[in-house]
Amino acid sequence: MDVITKDWSSSKYLKLWLNVSICVPTFLVVETLAAFKWPFMTILTVVLAGSAVMGVLCGIMGVLGRRTQKNFVTLISDVFGKKFSKFFYVLRGLDCAGWYGINIAAATQLIVNLITVVTGVKVSNPIFIGIFLVLLVGNAVIAQSSGGLQRLLTITLCVLIPGIVIILFQMGGRVFANANFFVNSQGLVFRDVIGNICVVAAYWNGFALNMFDFGRNAKSDKSAFGVIVWGSFRDGAMTVIAAIFAIQSFMTTGSYNWNLSHSLLHVSSSVPIHILVVVVFLMFMISTNSVANYYPAIQCLKAIMTKSRNSINMAIFLVISSAITPFFLSSSTSQLAYYWINLCGTVLAPLLAVLICYIILAKYHTVNADQYKWIYIVWTSAYIGIELVTLSILSYLWIIAIIGIFSTVTILHRLGQHAQKTNLVDGDL
């Protein structure tokens, strides 16, 4: 990632944020809430609020990345040591491999559905697997080149802007008229609203760890914070469009679709619109997978196997991703697979708090590596234990864990300062 983004300007980062905005997590959250007949404006508010929460955290990490000039791998090693840090490298690699495979599978299903719509012929499993493998490898090849990725980002936006206008014009006011159905839904519990805001933010926990890398190249703290935060708010604007698509699909089919391809193909009955949707999503998928999943995973593999070549790392990542993906495609294992990948993401969330505390307090030498390790273990184990006991994903718990880590580190820091002052006085005596 350092090589790919070392010469990127603010405009290039903004193109990136726009490209990663329409994604699988957005549709999953929106359609889940639509299935429970939440009010249309509440759904949009939840998605935008979740993006804003993670946007602020990303901005802070971008600034810290610029000040320290360290990336995720080196920071983890500094805080937890080389041995324990490998746990996080593996965990993050698996999280990225899972999402990489989900995106590839969604894009494959889009192409397969489009072929069926155009030809009326059901695509066989060998052809499905062939398309999947071509996209799996092709995405990784494009990700290797900064110039290739930048050209793709530019082309995507050129296609996206008129494409979105055409699609919304073709849909007319139907989606908003249909969305009025949700106004008469049952009263919402405040805890559910907060919980789903945390869900939206939690989907970006892994991606947020990239901000240390992105911030390193900024010219000032203001630039590092602004580019990342404003990019997140622009993502929020794009999620409005994604929400409209998802709700329109839900109202058209009358059912909740876990499969993103079903949602997008029900946006319109027009074949040209289908083709446009497939092309746009393919471009989005490649951009998101490259930056949010492929780069971080390769970075972690390099840290685990320092002497391995890029081609070997790429092959290992693609094999793992293709092995994980079938669990998301099967109706009997998809819920378990999504639970697992959510768990990976939320386990990484408290890591954000630990890294922020470490960078800010490193110069004071009041909190040591063992203390950071046990703070992380205790708080993360506590909320994972609660989820396992309740057999549910309590997404707001990662926020509580982050607050708990900040509070615990603050207490230890002040105790350390007090101990330093006491030792100084004793030394003077």
Side-chain angles (χ1 to χ4, degrees), residues 72-83 85 89 355:
F72 168 78
V73 168
T74 54
L75 277 172
I76 291 295
S77 180
D78 288 347
V79 178
F80 296 104
K82 292 184 178 180
K83 186 176 181 179
S85 61
Y89 300 155
L355 294 179

Side-chain angles (χ1 to χ4, degrees), residues 118-391:
V118 174
T119 65
V121 178
K122 185 177 181 180
V123 176
S124 63
N125 287 333
I127 294 178
F128 182 97
I129 294 173
I131 296 172
F132 175 84
L133 292 176
V134 168
L135 293 177
L136 188 82
V137 177
N139 196 156
V141 171
I142 293 175
Q144 299 290 326
S145 167
S146 175
L149 182 59
Q150 274 299 319
R151 285 191 292 273
L152 178 68
L153 295 178
T154 301
I155 294 172
T156 304
L157 293 183
C158 291
V159 174
L160 170 71
I161 295 173
I164 293 297
V165 173
I166 292 171
I167 293 172
L168 293 179
F169 180 79
Q170 195 269 344
M171 290 169 62
R174 290 182 295 122
V175 64
F176 297 104
N178 291 337
N180 288 334
F181 171 79
F182 297 121
V183 175
N184 298 320
S185 61
Q186 298 178 354
L188 299 175
V189 179
F190 180 73
R191 183 184 65 182
D192 293 335
V193 175
I194 298 300
N196 280 283
I197 289 174
C198 294
V199 168
V200 176
Y203 275 122
W204 295 97
N205 282 331
F207 182 65
L209 292 170
N210 297 341
M211 298 306 121
F212 293 110
D213 294 86
F214 294 149
R216 292 171 66 193
N217 304 315
K219 295 180 180 179
S220 66
D221 288 352
K222 183 178 179 180
S223 176
F225 187 83
V227 168
I228 294 171
V229 171
W230 280 110
S232 299
F233 283 121
R234 283 170 172 76
D235 286 351
M238 295 300 294
T239 60
V240 174
I241 297 175
I244 291 173
F245 287 175
I247 291 176
Q248 174 62 32
S249 169
F250 176 78
M251 296 307 301
T252 301
T253 61
S255 62
Y256 162 60
N257 298 306
W258 274 97
N259 195 323
L260 175 63
S261 62
H262 293 166
S263 301
L264 294 179
L265 286 178
H266 284 295
V267 165
S268 170
S269 59
S270 168
V271 172
I273 295 296
H274 282 336
I275 296 174
L276 178 63
V277 167
V278 170
V279 170
V280 170
F281 180 76
L282 279 175
M283 293 180 178
F284 277 123
M285 179 270 296
I286 293 173
S287 303
T288 303
N289 261 352
S290 297
V291 179
N293 300 316
Y294 181 79
Y295 295 155
I298 296 300
Q299 192 181 60
C300 291
L301 280 170
K302 286 182 178 179
I304 296 172
M305 302 179 296
T306 55
K307 296 182 179 180
S308 61
R309 293 180 297 177
N310 284 338
S311 58
I312 299 298
N313 291 333
M314 182 177 76
I316 293 173
F317 172 74
L318 294 181
V319 168
I320 294 174
S321 181
S322 59
I324 292 174
T325 302
F327 291 96
F328 296 96
L329 300 178
S330 170
S331 58
S332 61
T333 58
S334 62
Q335 293 284 356
L336 177 62
Y338 276 103
Y339 181 86
W340 171 79
I341 203 168
N342 280 332
L343 192 61
C344 283
T346 52
V347 165
L348 290 172
L351 196 58
L352 303 176
V354 172
L355 294 179
I356 290 173
C357 290
Y358 170 79
I359 293 172
I360 293 175
L361 301 179
K363 63 182 179 181
Y364 296 104
H365 304 288
T366 52
V367 183
N368 61 47
D370 283 338
Q371 289 173 319
Y372 279 120
K373 181 172 69 176
W374 283 109
I375 290 170
Y376 173 83
I377 291 174
V378 169
W379 279 102
T380 305
S381 299
Y383 88 79
I384 290 178
I386 294 174
E387 288 192 343
L388 292 175
V389 170
T390 59
L391 298 178

Side-chain angles (χ1 to χ4, degrees), residues 18-35:
L18 291 172
N19 270 270
V20 302
S21 56
I22 296 183
C23 56
V24 173
T26 300
F27 280 81
L28 290 177
V29 172
V30 169
E31 290 198 341
T32 300
L33 301 183

